[in-house]
């Protein structure tokens, strides 16, 4: 299926207290996204740290997010797992709570075959009626959706596209060639947002847009409108902040960036740690040069 959403989606952080999710801050982050014109918010993606959350916490977040967003933008929930049964269970819960769609990362650690990937996405899609975006991020999972495999996955009726965070433009272009008429391609790597958009990408699922939602949205709009020179100029401005968001493993830097902006996002859950001082200085410098109001 094509056209589930077009433009910018934010892979939102999850703010924590020592005892659970900080829903007050989560609400502020949601309002920040909606004010910035974000076309969709992805909760419980990699940036949202679901790997350190219980099912109960995930369900509380789903319930809160749907009610807080209240149809003002699309709500997408992460549901991927290295256990297909758990992925299906989370997918069903996301649909029950009112999610508009799902983002399903490939299984990780188990290192299934390409046939296993097709079976995995088929199981998730058959369990729900809402759109599902496959998520390819081999640097984290150890498993890569090959273009020919994505062509098979794209035949599943409620597959809405692929979030491509593979970092290999040759494979991205082959994926485009094979699925362009079947479902959409979304950039999953902020450094490659512009080239993927200009090659026909429907949008981006961005870490950077936690910080600068309006400008990431603008980048998508400029690219889709064919205003290439303006898009290039904006992308050149965005890139230093985007790169600073990955000087340590995501979501360590972006959580610190939101703290710097005054959102009290806290620190990631263990085994992730607080950002190192030298890297925080690089992030702060990039944010200040961009013109962001840094409060911490």
């Amino acid at each position: 299926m094509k056209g589930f959403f077009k433009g910018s989606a934010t892979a939102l952080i999850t703010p924590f207290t020592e005892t659970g999710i900080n829903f007050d801050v989560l609400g502020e982050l949601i309002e920040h996204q909606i004010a910035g014109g974000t076309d969709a918010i992805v909760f419980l993606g990699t940036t949202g740290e679901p790997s350190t959350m219980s099912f109960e916490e995930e369900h509380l977040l789903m319930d809160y997010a749907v009610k807080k967003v209240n149809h003002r933008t699309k709500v997408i929930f992460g549901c991927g797992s290295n256990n297909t049964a758990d992925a299906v269970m989370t997918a069903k819960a996301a649909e029950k709570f009112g999610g508009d769609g799902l983002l399903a990362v490939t299984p990780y650690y188990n290192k299934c075959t390409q046939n296993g990937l097709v079976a995995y996405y088929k199981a998730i899609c058959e369990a729900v009626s809402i759109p599902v975006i496959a998520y390819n991020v081999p640097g984290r999972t150890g498993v890569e959706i090959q273009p020919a495999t994505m062509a098979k996955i794209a035949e599943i009726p409620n597959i809405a596209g692929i979030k491509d965070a593979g970092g290999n433009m040759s494979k991205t272009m082959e994926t485009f060639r094979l699925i362009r008429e079947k479902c959409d391609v979304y950039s999953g790597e902020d450094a490659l947002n512009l080239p993927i958009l200009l090659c026909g990408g429907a949008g981006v699922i961005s870490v950077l847009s936690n910080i600068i939602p309006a400008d990431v949205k603008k980048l998508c709009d400029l690219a889709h409108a064919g205003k290439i020179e303006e898009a290039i100029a904006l992308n050149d401005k965005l890139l230093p902040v985007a790169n600073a968001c990955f000087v340590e493993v995501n979501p360590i830097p972006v959580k610190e960036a939101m703290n710097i902006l005054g959102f009290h996002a806290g620190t990631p859950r263990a085994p992730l740690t607080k950002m190192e001082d030298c890297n925080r200085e690089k992030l702060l410098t990039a944010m200040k040069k961009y013109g962001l109001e840094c409060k911490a």
Side-chain angles (χ1 to χ4, degrees):
M1 64 173 291
K2 291 180 69 68
F4 170 45
F5 84 88
K6 184 177 181 179
S8 63
T10 298
L12 199 69
I13 64 170
T14 304
F16 297 115
T17 66
E18 291 184 359
T19 57
I21 299 167
N22 189 331
F23 285 105
D24 290 337
V25 175
L26 182 61
E28 293 173 2
L29 295 172
I30 290 170
E31 294 301 331
H32 177 59
Q33 291 302 314
I34 291 171
T38 299
D39 296 290
I41 303 175
V42 178
F43 300 89
L44 303 173
T46 302
T47 311
E49 301 178 75
S51 59
T52 60
M53 295 170 66
S54 67
F55 287 129
E56 180 183 6
E57 285 180 316
E58 290 182 359
H59 293 174
L60 287 170
L61 186 148
M62 289 177 184
D63 185 46
Y64 177 86
V66 169
K67 291 175 179 175
K68 180 67 174 176
V69 171
N70 192 26
H71 306 291
R72 291 178 290 168
T73 191
K74 280 189 166 65
V75 171
I76 301 170
F77 290 123
C79 72
S81 175
N82 65 334
N83 179 346
T84 299
D86 283 352
V88 166
M89 180 176 66
T90 303
K92 287 180 176 179
E95 183 174 40
K96 177 183 175 183
F97 282 110
D100 296 300
L102 298 165
L103 177 68
V105 72
T106 61
Y108 40 86
Y109 186 74
N110 307 49
K111 300 191 77 170
C112 66
T113 65
Q114 296 297 299
N115 286 339
L117 287 174
V118 176
Y120 169 80
Y121 284 109
K122 186 176 180 181
I124 294 170
C125 287
E126 289 181 347
V128 297
S129 59
I130 56 178
V132 177
I133 300 171
Y135 179 11
N136 184 47
V137 57
R140 281 186 177 268
T141 65
V143 177
E144 184 170 19
I145 304 175
Q146 297 296 336
T149 303
M150 189 59 211
K152 294 178 182 178
I153 294 169
E155 298 290 344
I156 302 170
N158 53 328
I159 281 287
I162 179 171
K163 176 185 176 182
D164 185 348
N168 184 324
M169 281 301 293
S170 176
K171 287 188 175 180
T172 299
M173 294 306 299
E174 179 65 2
T175 299
F176 266 119
R177 187 182 74 83
L178 294 173
I179 71 168
R180 197 181 296 274
E181 304 305 319
K182 300 175 184 178
C183 62
D184 292 316
V185 175
Y186 297 98
S187 173
E189 188 165 332
D190 281 306
L192 296 178
N193 284 347
L194 183 57
I196 288 176
L197 287 167
L198 294 179
C199 289
V204 305
I205 300 177
S206 170
V207 173
L208 176 62
S209 59
N210 278 274
I211 305 168
I212 322 168
D215 283 356
V216 175
K217 163 69 171 172
K218 184 178 180 181
L219 179 70
C220 295
D221 290 346
L222 289 170
H224 288 147
K227 297 179 179 180
I228 297 176
E229 289 187 7
E230 291 179 57
I232 290 171
L234 177 56
N235 193 64
D236 285 349
K237 183 180 178 184
L238 287 166
L239 270 177
V241 185
N243 291 336
C245 284
F246 296 93
V247 293
E248 291 186 24
V249 69
N250 180 49
I252 293 173
V254 70
K255 270 200 152 176
E256 187 57 30
M258 299 314 288
N259 287 327
I260 289 169
L261 293 178
F263 282 98
H264 304 291
T267 56
R269 280 183 168 173
L272 300 185
T273 52
K274 184 178 178 181
M275 194 173 193
E276 295 177 15
D277 289 342
C278 61
N279 289 327
R280 186 184 188 277
E281 189 59 34
K282 294 175 185 176
L283 174 65
L284 181 62
T285 298
M287 291 174 68
K288 285 181 176 179
K289 285 184 178 179
Y290 194 89
L292 293 167
E293 184 179 353
C294 299
K295 299 179 180 179

